[in-house]
Amino acid sequence: MEEFLVNCRADRISTVSELLASVELTSKESKVSQIFERLRALVVEIKLLPGQQISELEVAEALKTSKTPVREALIRLEDAGLVNIVPKSGTYVTPIRIDRYLEACFIRVNLEIGAVRKAAQKAHLAPDAFRARLKGSIAEQEAAIEAEDYDSFYALDEDFHRSFYELAGVPGVWWTVKGVQADLDRVRHLKMLRRIRRGPQLIEQHREIAEALCAGNPAGAETALLAHIGRLGSEIETLSRQPGLLENIESLNAAVGRPQSLRALEAR
């Protein structure tokens, strides 16, 4: 982590152009969605740092597109809490805020409890499909952990949790959760960078959730989920036991100087 923070020095920060150098937009989905997802990933993975400016023109030139879809993507990023668009100044990555992180934890816990309970209630309608999807996902997660491919494991973990909402018949709720958990995702990546990883334990917890879902046991699914992602109080306790993590967040927020107009906006 110390090496990561050294690389966050102002003279070593990667530019938007550098980070987008290998990205090519396709015709299979809208340019706005592709630009949004790519920039969101760069912010969440702490490749674009808090306070770093994102230039519409720089993004447009890097992706060989016009500024219009870039502007629309940045507006979506602002709605997601990942950037601040400051008139006559520019667009800047938001700081990581613990209060927003805890709010995101609260929203996720409560909505995901509802999703797993509803999914368990519907398990009898398609038991083979439930079992195949969840078992296959866990097998892929185990392979990623074995290979120490944590980027792939992160994506597989996301897909596993999204499956609860899809199996429950409420896939749109997943995107509601994703829309408010920008700081949750950034803190998760910081934990990964600090080697706060529980690969085998996470796999076992996923397996317990899957077993309860496939058994059509809503109460068991809720218990297993809470053992996995924890309640809000346990998350606060975890943060208090990891002062180094909080210090790293403060260091990241201070790594890039922010203009006075942005600091005033953040203080509101």
Side-chain angles (χ1 to χ4, degrees), residues 35 51 56 88 105 109 130 132 148 151 156 162 209 212 224 227 263:
I35 297 168
E56 281 185 19
K88 299 181 180 180
C105 290
V109 166
F130 265 56
E148 296 188 354
D151 287 339
L156 290 166
R162 183 170 66 247
I209 296 170
R263 293 197 296 270

Side-chain angles (χ1 to χ4, degrees), residues 92 114 132 189 194 213 239-240:
Y92 304 87
H189 273 276
R194 284 174 53 83
L213 288 173
L239 286 173
S240 69

Side-chain angles (χ1 to χ4, degrees), residues 16-25 38 42 62-64:
V16 174
S17 295
E18 291 169 340
L19 293 170
L20 295 175
S22 62
V23 177
E24 293 185 7
L25 302 181
R38 179 57 60 177
L42 292 176
L63 298 178
K64 298 178 176 62

Side-chain angles (χ1 to χ4, degrees), residues 34-234:
Q34 292 178 72
I35 297 168
F36 169 79
E37 291 297 339
R38 179 57 60 177
L39 291 178
R40 184 187 191 282
L42 292 176
V43 175
V44 164
E45 293 168 12
I46 324 291
K47 292 175 181 176
L48 284 172
L49 301 183
Q52 188 167 352
Q53 185 171 11
I54 303 176
S55 162
E56 281 185 19
L57 179 60
E58 188 177 1
V59 174
E61 290 180 345
L63 298 178
K64 298 178 176 62
T65 187
S66 69
K67 291 170 62 176
T68 299
V70 176
R71 186 177 302 115
E72 293 180 18
L74 291 175
I75 290 172
R76 288 181 58 182
L77 286 168
E78 184 174 48
D79 290 341
L82 287 169
V83 303
N84 282 322
I85 300 175
V86 184
K88 299 181 180 180
S89 177
T91 298
Y92 304 87
V93 178
T94 57
I96 300 172
R97 285 177 40 183
I98 296 302
D99 59 339
R100 289 197 304 234
Y101 167 71
L102 294 175
E103 287 173 358
C105 290
F106 177 85
I107 292 170
R108 180 187 177 186
V109 166
N110 285 280
L111 290 181
E112 205 146 304
I113 285 173
V116 295
R117 291 190 68 93
K118 189 174 181 65
Q121 292 166 359
K122 298 180 68 172
H124 68 283
L125 299 176
D128 292 338
F130 265 56
R131 190 167 289 105
R133 175 164 185 178
L134 297 172
K135 183 178 179 180
S137 176
I138 290 173
E140 290 180 314
Q141 293 169 41
E142 288 178 312
I145 291 294
E146 181 67 24
E148 296 188 354
D149 185 350
Y150 289 97
D151 287 339
S152 292
F153 177 77
Y154 177 83
L156 290 166
D157 179 68
E158 288 276 284
D159 182 70
F160 182 73
H161 284 270
R162 183 170 66 247
S163 72
F164 305 156
Y165 300 84
E166 293 176 350
L167 293 171
V170 289
V173 178
W174 165 256
W175 296 109
T176 298
V177 173
K178 290 298 293 180
V180 298
Q181 68 173 37
D183 284 297
L184 188 155
D185 286 340
R186 286 198 279 183
V187 172
R188 283 177 66 192
H189 273 276
L190 277 177
K191 288 180 178 180
M192 183 181 74
L193 290 167
R194 284 174 53 83
R195 303 298 191 269
I196 304 172
R197 297 165 170 165
R198 300 176 293 128
Q201 181 183 356
L202 293 177
I203 294 293
E204 185 57 34
Q205 290 173 344
H206 282 179
R207 187 173 285 111
E208 291 173 359
I209 296 170
E211 289 174 355
L213 288 173
C214 293
N217 181 354
E222 177 180 343
T223 299
L225 177 71
L226 286 174
H228 174 51
I229 65 176
R231 299 179 184 275
L232 182 62
S234 66

Side-chain angles (χ1 to χ4, degrees), residues 240-255:
S240 69
R241 291 200 308 267
Q242 298 171 2
L245 178 60
L246 295 176
E247 291 172 5
N248 291 154
I249 290 172
E250 291 177 2
S251 297
L252 279 173
N253 287 338

Side-chain angles (χ1 to χ4, degrees), residues 1-15:
M1 185 65 188
E2 288 73 16
E3 179 182 353
F4 172 75
L5 288 175
V6 167
N7 290 333
C8 290
R9 282 172 35 190
D11 60 341
R12 300 192 184 186
I13 295 170
S14 298
T15 67

